[in-house]
Amino acid sequence: MVIRSERLELRELQVADITPAYIGWMSDRETNRYLETRHSAQTPESVAAFVARVAAAPDEFLFGIFLPTGRHIGNIKVGPIRPVHGVADVSLLIGDAACRGQGFGTEAIRAVSAFAFDNLGVSKLSASMYLPNEGSTRAFLRAGFVREGLRVKHYDLDGERCDLVELGATREDMFKQKER
């Protein structure tokens, strides 16, 4: 499955997409600072197991974010989908440091959100991130998500308690953003 946007191609990530660069993102302290994966060693085997598990899951979709050149710059995931409620989570990683701050995250969020609303029976999407992760928060807000809440001192970040920002989007939120 492939989702195309103006500058990106999102395609379901395969074990074959796991490269030394990808493992490097997952092991880089700066890149994984706000990821839960930072709590364990990331090896080709552990990353392959994760990609294979998600590929086999009926309620999760992991897309690699690729430039037209075929360069893999990050990942975006939808799920798990909770069909009874019509909701799903969205998570994002722009692993290639040279591609951060260029709007690729926002573009990928918009594309995968449209896919979720149009094809997965989802009525609402949610995302959460550590409060200091301003780049991720900005990308989701620009894509049309709205701030819904703050979980105070919810997680540990480098030995300090850290707030968690909660964002959400409905199809209407996304359309309002396009009109702005």
Side-chain angles (χ1 to χ4, degrees), residues 17-25:
D17 295 315
I18 299 170
T19 62
Y22 181 6
I23 301 301
W25 304 338

Side-chain angles (χ1 to χ4, degrees), residues 149-171:
L150 186 71
R151 292 186 181 188
V152 178
K153 297 183 180 179
H154 192 72
Y155 280 130
D156 180 88
L157 180 63
D158 302 327
E160 300 289 328
R161 298 310 297 175
C162 180
D163 296 349
L164 183 73
V165 177
E166 295 280 358
L167 305 175
T170 62
R171 179 185 299 276

Side-chain angles (χ1 to χ4, degrees), residues 10-27:
L10 311 181
R11 62 176 167 81
E12 284 188 277
L13 203 63
Q14 305 294 317
V15 172
D17 295 315
I18 299 170
T19 62
Y22 181 6
I23 301 301
W25 304 338
M26 302 309 293
S27 302

Side-chain angles (χ1 to χ4, degrees), residues 32-106:
N32 73 19
R33 180 162 192 235
Y34 303 115
L35 303 178
E36 296 310 298
T37 57
R38 74 184 186 276
H39 299 296
S40 60
Q42 299 299 303
T43 65
E45 296 77 20
S46 66
V47 174
F50 170 75
V51 170
R53 182 196 63 76
V54 175
D59 62 345
E60 295 181 89
F61 298 84
L62 177 62
F63 295 95
I65 303 170
F66 294 87
L67 297 177
T69 61
R71 181 173 159 192
H72 183 199
I73 65 166
N75 298 332
I76 190 162
K77 181 172 159 297
V78 177
I81 299 167
R82 293 173 291 289
V84 170
H85 302 291
V87 298
D89 297 325
V90 176
S91 55
L92 171 73
L93 165 69
I94 301 297
D96 187 328
C99 293
R100 294 183 196 138
Q102 297 181 40
F104 292 126
T106 298

